[in-house]
Amino acid sequence: MGTSLDAELLDRWTELAGPSARAVGEDLVRRYSEPHRRYHTVEHLAAMLSIIDDLAADAADIAAVRYAAFFHDAVYSVEGGDNEEASAALAETALPAMGLDAELVAEVARLVRLTAGHHPDPSDRNGGVLCDADLAILAAGESAYAAYASAVRAEYAHVPDELFRKGRAAVLQGLIQQEHLFRTPTARARYDNAARANLAAELITLSEPGA
């Protein structure tokens, strides 16, 4: 693979899926390295896997959560289409070919689809861990959050500013209005306050003329 991070991710995949599944891992890492991506990249995947490690005790099936992390943004296009559905469908094709049992495949696909809205049921331990890891960037420090917001805007460079601001604000409002932004006790204690502060600050910025 091209970089040390690519190699690290491939090692993580091989540890999870076994050496015989290396080609699938190489394909996944290549997908996260596509040139049109600015945020949904190998760095995002690596960060998610690290947080999933921290939250592993809260999951019911940590292997399913890790497989879902690898697949959750495997298909990523900003110009239409249902990325989560397409990513789940990719998992439903690739994982059975690797020999995974149907129950695990179904759980991975369910988890991938869950990242479309980040609304896991309170009893959904696997969904809570995956969604918390995906949303942890919202609690980043000021400079890291600014870089994240800038990268998201860059992915949607083709969208006019006014339309982007409206769409982005709608997404952030949907998040900030949730009673529980994070589902696991660890993530809630670690991230919730900072994430809500970041979301509120970005919403103010998006409402400013010329933002």
Side-chain angles (χ1 to χ4, degrees):
M1 305 300 288
T3 69
S4 59
L5 184 55
D6 291 348
E8 177 185 323
L9 286 170
L10 187 56
D11 286 345
R12 289 292 308 256
W13 171 262
T14 303
E15 180 183 358
L16 175 66
S20 63
R22 182 181 178 89
V24 176
E26 290 175 343
D27 176 65
L28 289 170
V29 173
R30 276 194 296 269
R31 288 170 178 272
Y32 284 89
S33 302
E34 291 167 341
H36 68 278
R37 298 178 185 236
R38 295 294 182 271
Y39 172 67
H40 297 86
T41 61
V42 289
E43 288 80 10
H44 169 57
L45 176 57
M48 274 192 70
L49 290 170
S50 178
I51 293 164
I52 288 168
D53 289 344
D54 289 343
L55 302 178
D58 291 310
D61 184 344
I62 192 61
V65 177
R66 289 183 173 126
Y67 275 118
F70 271 101
F71 277 95
H72 84 289
D73 284 328
V75 177
Y76 188 75
S77 169
V78 297
E79 296 183 350
D82 188 334
N83 292 322
E84 291 81 12
E85 179 60 34
S87 296
L90 180 67
E92 288 170 329
T93 298
L95 295 177
M98 290 164 42
L100 271 66
D101 66 71
E103 184 177 352
L104 178 56
V105 173
E107 175 65 355
V108 172
R110 182 189 72 82
L111 291 170
V112 171
R113 292 184 172 101
L114 195 60
T115 62
H118 301 98
H119 292 293
D121 185 90
S123 65
D124 183 358
R125 293 172 58 191
N126 291 337
V129 171
L130 182 67
C131 289
D132 284 0
D134 201 19
L135 296 179
I137 184 62
L138 300 180
E142 184 176 355
S143 61
Y145 188 88
Y148 150 70
S150 177
V152 172
R153 180 66 184 101
E155 287 185 338
Y156 288 87
H158 61 288
V159 178
D161 283 344
E162 184 176 353
L163 290 177
F164 177 81
R165 289 199 305 272
K166 288 181 179 178
R168 177 71 175 166
V171 171
L172 300 188
Q173 287 283 8
L175 289 169
I176 205 169
Q177 289 171 2
Q178 292 188 38
E179 181 181 1
H180 296 299
L181 188 53
F182 296 94
R183 308 304 169 129
T184 64
T186 301
R188 194 173 300 166
R190 187 181 298 176
Y191 302 130
D192 196 86
N193 289 340
R196 291 184 185 278
N198 282 334
L199 291 171
E202 187 180 354
L203 281 166
I204 291 172
T205 300
L206 290 169
S207 69
E208 294 172 349

